[in-house]
Amino acid sequence: MISYIWAEDEQGLIGAAGKLPWHLPADMAFFKKTTMGHPIISGARTFRSYNRPLPGRQNIVLSRHGHFPDGVLVVSSIPQLCELVAANPGENYFVTGGANLFSQLLDRVDRLYRTKIHHQFIGDTYMPKIDYAHFKRLRVTEGKVDEKNPYPHTFELFERLK
Ligand SMILES: NC(=O)c1ccc[n+]([C@@H]2O[C@H](COP(=O)([O-])OP(=O)(O)OC[C@H]3O[C@@H](n4cnc5c(N)ncnc54)[C@H](OP(=O)(O)O)[C@@H]3O)[C@@H](O)[C@H]2O)c1
């Protein structure tokens, strides 16, 4: 199974100059809790934004070239990635972005873990358009606003309709 996990602002913005446009520790904690123990699949740019492989998860990076730390599984094409996913039907593979990678797996993604941040930021990278008519929302949870998490945000889970 393939899941997407990401956070977007009111306009669908997800990135700014290779990084996240915001600092929202509650969403980082949600990401960690949700992906822990599962393989994560990242585009090369997104992987570089982590600065290191994320612990407790198999780190898979999509790249046609480039050097990555030991232990990182580098996959050089979407068909190769899909073979890997098909070989492990019981596993939930979390695609962590970015926009480039998200746009290539829209037909294959089964679940969407979306954090909606109810605010507008400045940046350069947007989530590709998803046809939510093909998905059912299973869960919606309001995040807590506090001093460290000043932006209202909502955690949602969608599943593809069979
Ligand atoms: N808000 C969020 O939840 C969120 C999540 C993730 C990322 N982001 C942000 O999004 C931005 C990065 O996204 P992006 O779209 O620019 O880049 P990206 O998707 O992270 O990475 C693109 C790179 O991945 C490799 N790649 C992609 N498709 C491939 C394929 N089919 N086969 C082989 N390699 C492939 C290529 O790297 P090579 O050039 O090495 O071949 C390509 O240049 C950053 O600002 C990041 O912070 C935000």
Side-chain angles (χ1 to χ4, degrees), residues 5-7 14-20 22 43-46 48-49 62-65 75-78 96-102 104 125:
I5 185 163
W6 80 101
I14 66 165
K19 300 209 164 102
L20 295 177
W22 46 77
R45 280 194 82 203
T46 294
R48 284 191 197 103
S49 77
L62 257 285
S63 178
R64 294 179 191 89
H65 44 74
V75 171
S76 60
S77 72
I78 295 293
T96 70
N100 184 314
L101 186 52
F102 284 140
Q104 298 176 65
T125 308

Side-chain angles (χ1 to χ4, degrees), residues 5 29-38 92 94 113 139:
I5 185 163
F30 175 80
F31 175 92
K32 185 175 177 185
K33 184 181 80 180
T34 307
T35 59
M36 190 52 70
H38 299 286
N92 191 359
F94 281 90
Y113 292 79
R139 201 165 73 205

Side-chain angles (χ1 to χ4, degrees), residues 1 9 16-17 19 22 29 42 65 69 76 80 82 94 100 114 120-121 132 134 158-159:
M1 166 161 71
D9 84 349
K19 300 209 164 102
W22 46 77
S42 318
H65 44 74
S76 60
Q80 195 187 339
C82 291
F94 281 90
N100 184 314
R114 176 175 80 171
Q120 274 185 42
F121 296 85
Y132 286 94
H134 294 305
F158 299 84
E159 190 166 66

